[in-house]
Amino acid sequence: MNRVVCAGHVNWDVTLHVDALPDPDGEAAITHQSQAGGGSASNTACALAGLGVEVPLLGSIGSDRYGTLVTEELQTVGVDCDPLVSVSGETTVKYIVVDDDGEVFVLANEGVNEAYEADDLPTETLAEADRLHLTSQDPATAMDLQQRAKRRSIPVSFDPGRRLGSRAFGDLIQDVDLLFLNEREADEVVDLLEGRQSPTVIKRGDGGAVFRDESRTISHEGFDVTARDTAGAGDAFAAGFLAARLRGRSVREALATANSCGALAVQSSGARVDLSWAAVERYCQTH
């Protein structure tokens, strides 16, 4: 079985669906609400586990009830939580507000989701990995993890997420073997992308996705889908692409798989989606 170590944020998400995003001093009606685990690394790990990949998860949680809930949920879907670090303090909680079009905005407390260090990942856990996948986290920690993997010739992928513009990720963007960005993020770092020699995958939402490297550009048009909640869709996309490539699928097939995972994610509430190869292949065949 393939093995991907995921590293980054592990949160607890409170999702509020509203009839409309209110103007300043306005009010909106909550039409549905739910709570579940979240965080980009955690979301990707769950999606990979559903696709049959072994996933040790490096991150940090607080010594509170949310930390317990997150860990229990992850273990239920098959994520290896042994590398998770529990520290004194509060698990990061994010409040995700979703409008009728499925678009989101996020409110968060500080929490402890960046309290871990690169050395918290056991050497043997990294050595047994086919890939290290980094998501949004402290840039210094991410660089340390990337260097540890590089010394062992383990490929590294990176999906920096919405905080890209406020964090010093420049070296990682240029050095990692595989980079995931959405269109807005790609526009923010266009100068850095010009210096990249390794592949970059641009996620375009309902417009599909594009893979680019030095010699080729490959695209997939995506699927026509009505979004219920876009939270976590990019994480599901990355998981689908990585899992497909680990199975030996072509880039074009991996893009189709990734877009299927993203489409399934936006049709479910919350940042997590229940993925399996059967569900992904059925979606590809019927859309």
Side-chain angles (χ1 to χ4, degrees):
M1 182 180 288
N2 295 118
R3 187 177 179 90
V4 176
V5 174
C6 287
H9 292 170
V10 180
N11 306 329
W12 185 256
D13 287 351
V14 179
T15 302
L16 304 174
H17 286 261
V18 297
D19 56 354
L21 298 180
D23 294 324
D25 201 31
E27 184 174 319
I30 297 173
T31 58
H32 177 74
Q33 63 184 35
S34 60
Q35 299 186 44
S40 51
S42 183
N43 296 337
T44 307
C46 287
L48 282 167
L51 295 172
V53 178
E54 289 186 359
V55 196
L57 175 62
L58 175 64
S60 44
I61 54 175
S63 54
D64 56 7
R65 68 186 184 94
Y66 292 127
T68 300
L69 289 170
V70 166
T71 303
E72 291 175 348
E73 185 184 64
L74 290 166
Q75 291 172 333
T76 298
V77 299
V79 174
D80 177 3
C81 294
D82 285 349
L84 269 185
V85 178
S86 180
V87 301
S88 177
E90 296 181 351
T91 301
T92 299
V93 177
K94 294 198 174 184
Y95 298 86
I96 301 172
V97 183
V98 187
D99 69 11
D100 280 343
D101 294 324
E103 297 300 321
V104 306
F105 74 80
V106 181
L107 307 171
N109 66 359
E110 187 63 26
V112 298
N113 65 5
E114 293 188 357
Y116 65 95
E117 298 178 352
D119 288 343
D120 289 320
L121 180 65
T123 299
E124 59 273 19
T125 301
L126 179 59
E128 294 171 355
D130 296 296
R131 172 173 291 278
L132 170 65
H133 181 66
L134 304 174
T135 65
S136 181
Q137 59 193 286
D138 178 80
T141 303
M143 279 298 300
D144 286 347
L145 286 165
Q146 192 255 2
Q147 290 301 314
R148 287 186 64 191
K150 194 172 184 179
R151 287 193 293 270
R152 293 166 177 80
S153 300
I154 296 169
V156 180
S157 50
F158 182 38
D159 192 345
R162 63 173 57 90
R163 297 177 68 182
L164 173 62
S166 62
R167 313 208 78 167
F169 286 136
D171 289 342
L172 272 174
I173 288 170
Q174 293 188 315
D175 291 346
V176 294
D177 302 279
L178 177 61
L179 178 66
F180 293 97
L181 299 170
N182 64 29
E183 289 183 295
R184 177 188 59 78
E185 293 158 359
D187 288 341
E188 289 183 22
V189 295
V190 64
D191 293 340
L192 294 172
L193 293 181
E194 292 177 0
R196 267 188 63 75
Q197 298 180 350
S198 299
T200 299
V201 178
I202 308 296
K203 300 173 285 188
R204 302 176 60 197
D206 58 8
V210 177
F211 171 99
R212 294 176 183 149
D213 62 17
E214 286 190 301
S215 62
R216 55 186 175 163
T217 298
I218 301 173
S219 62
H220 184 274
E221 65 277 11
F223 300 96
D224 185 15
V225 60
T226 300
R228 180 184 181 191
D229 184 347
T230 58
D235 303 322
F237 176 100
F241 188 91
L242 295 176
R245 293 294 282 161
L246 286 169
R247 282 198 166 199
R249 306 281 175 90
S250 70
V251 169
R252 194 176 303 279
E253 290 171 329
L255 288 174
T257 298
N259 279 323
S260 296
C261 291
L264 290 166
V266 301
Q267 295 176 75
S268 63
S269 179
R272 298 279 173 78
V273 57
D274 184 15
L275 289 180
S276 67
W277 278 110
V280 170
E281 290 169 356
R282 183 167 57 248
Y283 193 88
C284 284
Q285 292 168 1
T286 58
H287 291 78

